[in-house]
Amino acid sequence: MADRLLALPQPVRFLFAGGFASAINWLARFPLSAVMPFPAAVLGTTAIGMAVGFVLYQSTVFPGSCRPLLLRLRDFVLVNLLASVGVVAVAMGAVHVLKLMMAASPAEAVAHGVGIAFGALLNFFGHRRVTFGDVSRQAASDPC
């Protein structure tokens, strides 16, 4: 199964890995919302999604990165923190609009999903260019 995944184009692997991490992020918000306010639950699940995402991106999307692990971790966190600001801002903006059309609980779920989708776009471009950027520029004949 892993070989089939690695044979897919990088953007497709990113979508699969990011989709899985995003699903974990989205699903984890429900139990967190039971014990904390919506914005805090969104931030908490963002951290959970980041941890899952790093492992998946490292192993399936950008496995050839020669950058030191600590630099990748640092940049991964920085890119995700910046994207998290976007996730929360979009989720908070969307929830206000959606609560005009539906009950609070489904409005929060949909708004959080919209925020995560926006964050996924920011993450793709940030990780491709910054966190694991050397993979796309590295020549096949230039091993680490």
Side-chain angles (χ1 to χ4, degrees), residues 4-122:
R4 292 176 114 179
L5 181 62
L6 291 174
L8 295 171
Q10 185 183 49
V12 174
R13 293 191 317 260
F14 187 89
L15 288 174
F16 279 127
F20 184 78
S22 293
I24 296 298
N25 180 334
W26 188 76
L27 289 169
R29 190 200 52 83
F30 294 98
L32 288 183
S33 284
V35 297
M36 60 182 64
F38 179 69
V42 170
L43 284 173
T45 60
T46 299
I48 293 167
M50 281 174 48
V52 171
F54 182 80
V55 170
L56 293 175
Y57 294 152
Q58 176 68 34
S59 62
T60 63
V61 182
F62 306 105
S65 181
C66 295
R67 294 185 70 216
L69 179 61
L70 289 177
L71 291 179
R72 284 178 284 177
L73 283 169
R74 179 201 67 194
D75 291 344
F76 188 85
V77 170
L78 290 174
V79 166
N80 277 287
L81 286 174
L82 290 172
S84 295
V85 172
V87 169
V88 173
V90 168
M92 294 306 296
V95 78
H96 290 299
V97 173
L98 291 168
K99 282 183 178 179
L100 299 172
M101 298 179 271
M102 61 181 73
S105 184
E108 289 176 354
V110 172
H112 186 204
V114 170
I116 291 169
F118 179 74
L121 287 173
L122 295 176

Side-chain angles (χ1 to χ4, degrees), residues 130-143:
V130 178
T131 308
F132 304 101
D134 63 328
V135 173
S136 60
R137 293 187 299 268
Q138 188 175 323
S141 63
D142 184 23

